[in-house]
Amino acid sequence: MNDQEIYGVIGEEGFGRLVAAFYRQVPSDDILGPMYPKDDLAGAERRLRDFLVGRFGGPPRYVEERGHPALRMRHAKFAVGTAARERWLTLMTRALDETGLPPEVDAVLRPFFVAVANMLVNRPD
Ligand code: HEM
């Protein structure tokens, strides 16, 4: 499946459920919990959802509101080591398992998350 077709298949609803399932795990996580803004988790959830929606063929809300994603730059203020990367991917893998998106969508999203998470490591061991 083409990246740009994904929004047409799972819509706001699919991305919304996925990202909610991810953020539900964040507050109690010993590595990621302290990194995310406690007073604006709903905002963080919306930013990731809007980014994914725009990246996979939906409305470009993220770019309209935040500008170019520049994800490496936006993560520079967080120390992303390999443990944080592994944990982020563990939580997202669980979220994908729980959300049960159509297999052809799931098969695009899993490797996408791995590739971006690898790119975001800014404190290699
Ligand atoms: C590698 C491990 C990662 C860590 C530790 C991490 C951590 C964080 C933290 C602490 C924030 C701030 C939350 C907020 O206020 O928005 C954030 C924002 C964000 N992250 Fe990550 N992240 C990781 C991987 C990823 C991946 C793989 C993606 C995309 C597939 C991603 C996309 C985003 C986006 C779009 C934002 C909002 C940026 C903004 O507009 O300011 N992150 N991340």
Side-chain angles (χ1 to χ4, degrees):
M1 164 163 305
N2 180 288
D3 284 6
Q4 299 305 306
E5 294 169 343
I6 288 185
Y7 182 81
V9 178
I10 67 170
E12 284 309 317
E13 193 267 343
F15 284 110
R17 281 197 297 127
L18 176 64
V19 171
F22 176 82
Y23 274 100
R24 207 178 295 132
Q25 306 170 71
V26 166
S28 62
D29 189 86
D30 59 333
I31 298 179
L32 300 185
M35 294 175 77
Y36 283 82
K38 253 179 238 350
D39 54 348
D40 190 26
L41 260 195
E45 183 171 329
R46 191 181 64 246
R47 286 184 281 280
L48 180 59
R49 188 197 60 216
D50 286 354
F51 166 75
L52 293 172
V53 161
R55 172 65 180 71
F56 290 100
R61 285 194 303 267
Y62 181 87
V63 172
E64 284 167 11
E65 286 171 20
R66 310 275 299 162
H68 189 281
L71 287 185
R72 245 188 94 80
M73 185 195 80
R74 290 191 206 268
H75 286 76
K77 60 176 177 288
F78 309 113
V80 185
T82 52
R85 177 198 61 193
E86 285 311 306
R87 188 60 64 80
W88 197 101
L89 288 170
T90 297
L91 266 49
M92 184 52 82
T93 298
R94 245 188 247 140
L96 283 160
D97 290 345
E98 178 185 328
T99 308
L101 297 171
E104 66 275 22
V105 169
D106 192 283
V108 173
L109 294 183
R110 282 183 203 252
F112 168 78
F113 287 128
V114 173
V116 177
N118 286 341
M119 175 195 80
L120 293 179
V121 173
N122 53 25
R123 304 283 197 287
D125 300 333

